[in-house]
């Protein structure tokens, strides 16, 4: 079976490593892939947003199955176009991907179907938004409606900051047409949990829970990034909370999408906040999280390609999906300065002993060497019986990898460890 994977980050590397493990897998093409993916797939210089390019390539190569991993091509309808060309895919169509592509769509869905989330209002004009901002409590959260590379969320401590945020999104169009509307919502407090789930439109199977580390600096300081590391499972996510999320959030979301005529097939990501009033949805993503995929997939025991085929063929209820016991930790090695300005093009030397998995995110090949080529460069993941061992394993490998200008947080998993210790007491 020849497979095409759209994307070229650490998440796609983790997906490709899993697909490789299935004996049915023939060639794997990565569009565009990266320097590390090139060791296990043929990288083709077609960008993830180039929908026409992706479809023509898939048709020309007689691809048997396509996996569309990033948000942009999903929201732009890559799966719709591949299906029209007769190619089976893993990933939602554009109508279902709107659950990530439009925050106002997602919020209205939750309101209509009683799915717990922060209180909110949607505005498309500055004046009405400003009137509302004069009457509310602070802090509150201002979000651009559309995709904004994870930068479209602004936490505002007072009215002036909120007005400035709305002005920059709606009037100055800081995020382009992604800011044609803004969502203004209540500020929630509590631990955050990421839960990725396989769904074939009707059945939903949550994966092991995880915790992202979004801020650039240690102690959760600095700017929001795509994610500086992750651990799984998330110690805050108890059996009891998982049961509640299944009943109050996961199943109602899947049913709501069917009721709206937009059944969701693929990986649905629930960004949750465990508030004192119960778990609430912070955001949905229409795809695997990055770096969450780099801790969840290494713990997946069941074959990933078999699951993806079952999702596409709507028979997820018939397969047994298992995860290994134990824990995983992924430390992102980034280019210093990320998520703002940073320098790349530095050779990477890797003397790690192979006990940790080194996923490539922003790397490229230059002759015989691999060089840094992005903000997030590598994702170094270790799995072990305990979280403590997984953290130690990941940092031991990070210590053996170097490139000029490398930066990584030294506290990935620390808050999770503290939480799991206080649970034991
Ligand atoms: P998002 O891009 O929607 O995941 O938001 C990025 C981050 O902003 C989240 O991971 C949260 O830490 C924070 N955030 C988003 N919405 C809220 C909210 N309503 N209350 C508190 N924090 C929030
Ligand atoms: N790590 C968060 C995301 O993938 O959106």
């Amino acid at each position: 079976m020849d497979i095409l994977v759209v994307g070229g980050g650490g998440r796609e590397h983790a997906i490709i490593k899993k697909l490789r493990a299935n004996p049915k897998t023939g060639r794997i093409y990565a569009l565009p892939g990266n320097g590390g993916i090139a060791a296990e797939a043929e990288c083709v210089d077609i960008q993830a947003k180039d929908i026409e390019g992706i479809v023509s390539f898939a048709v020309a190569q007689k691809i048997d199955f396509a996996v569309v991993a990033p948000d942009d091509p999903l929201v732009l309808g890559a799966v719709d176009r591949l299906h029209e060309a007769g190619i089976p895919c893993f990933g939602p169509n554009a109508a279902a991907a709107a659950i990530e592509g439009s925050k106002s769509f997602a919020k209205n869905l939750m309101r209509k179907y009683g799915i717990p989330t922060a209180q909110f209002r949607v505005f498309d004009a500055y004046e009405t938004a400003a009137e509302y901002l004069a009457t509310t409590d602070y802090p509150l959260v201002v979000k651009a409606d559309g995709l904004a590379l994870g930068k479209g969320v602004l936490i505002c401590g007072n009215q002036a900051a909120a007005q400035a945020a709305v002005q920059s999104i709606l009037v100055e169009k800081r995020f382009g047409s992604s800011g044609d509307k803004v969502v203004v919502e209540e500020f929630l407090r509590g631990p955050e949990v990421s839960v990725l789930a396989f769904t074939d439109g009707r059945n939903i199977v949550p994966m092991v829970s995880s915790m992202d580390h979004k801020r650039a600096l240690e102690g959760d300081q600095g700017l929001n990034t795509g994610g500086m590391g992750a651990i799984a499972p998330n110690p805050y996510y108890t059996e009891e909370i998982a049961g509640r999320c299944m009943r109050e959030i996961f199943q109602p979301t899947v049913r709501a999408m069917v009721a709206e005529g937009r059944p969701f097939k693929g990986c649905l990501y629930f960004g949750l906040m465990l508030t004192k009033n119960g778990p609430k949805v912070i955001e949905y993503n229409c795809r695997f999280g990055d770096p969450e995929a780099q801790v969840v997939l290494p713990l997946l025991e069941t074959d990933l390609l078999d699951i993806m085929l079952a999702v596409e063929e709507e028979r997820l209820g018939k397969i047994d999906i298992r995860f290994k016991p134990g824990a995983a930790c992924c430390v992102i090695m980034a280019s210093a300065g990320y998520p703002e300005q940073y320098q790349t093009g530095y050779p990477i030397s890797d003397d790690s002993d192979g006990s940790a998995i080194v996923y490539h995110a922003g790397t490229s090949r230059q002759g015989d060497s691999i060089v840094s080529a992005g903000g997030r460069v590598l994702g170094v993941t270790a799995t072990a019986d305990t979280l403590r061992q997984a953290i130690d394993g990941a940092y031991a490998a990070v210590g053996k990898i170097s490139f000029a200008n490398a930066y990584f947080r030294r506290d990935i998993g620390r808050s999770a460890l503290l939480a799991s210790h206080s649970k034991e007491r």
Side-chain angles (χ1 to χ4, degrees), residues 103 141 143 153 185-188 192 214 282-283:
K103 289 192 196 288
V141 187
K143 300 185 174 183
V153 173
E185 70 178 35
E186 170 198 9
F187 179 78
L188 299 176
E192 285 187 53
K214 282 206 169 79
I282 288 278
E283 63 160 349

Side-chain angles (χ1 to χ4, degrees), residues 11 212 214 226-227 269 283 285 287-292 376:
R11 164 184 56 205
D212 191 6
K214 282 206 169 79
Y269 168 128
E283 63 160 349
N285 290 330
R287 51 172 176 86
F288 286 95
D290 189 337
E292 287 93 332
R376 292 191 288 179

Side-chain angles (χ1 to χ4, degrees), residues 138-157:
Y138 288 86
L140 56 66
V141 187
V142 175
K143 300 185 174 183
D145 184 53
L147 298 179
L149 292 171
K151 294 179 187 155
V153 173
L154 302 155
I155 295 173
C156 304

Side-chain angles (χ1 to χ4, degrees), residues 161-224:
Q163 280 174 345
V166 171
Q167 165 94 18
S168 78
I169 296 173
L170 277 184
V171 183
E172 289 151 26
K173 296 279 178 208
R174 175 163 157 204
F175 304 108
S177 60
S178 285
D180 288 347
K181 293 183 202 162
V182 288
V183 174
V184 176
E185 70 178 35
E186 170 198 9
F187 179 78
L188 299 176
R189 288 184 173 84
E192 285 187 53
V193 182
S194 303
V195 179
L196 321 185
F198 293 109
T199 168
D200 62 1
R202 299 194 187 254
N203 300 291
I204 181 156
V205 182
M207 300 179 223
V208 62
S209 62
S210 53
M211 181 192 289
D212 191 6
H213 295 64
K214 282 206 169 79
R215 301 293 202 93
L217 308 177
E218 279 151 29
D220 293 327
Q221 303 294 310
L223 295 172
N224 261 330

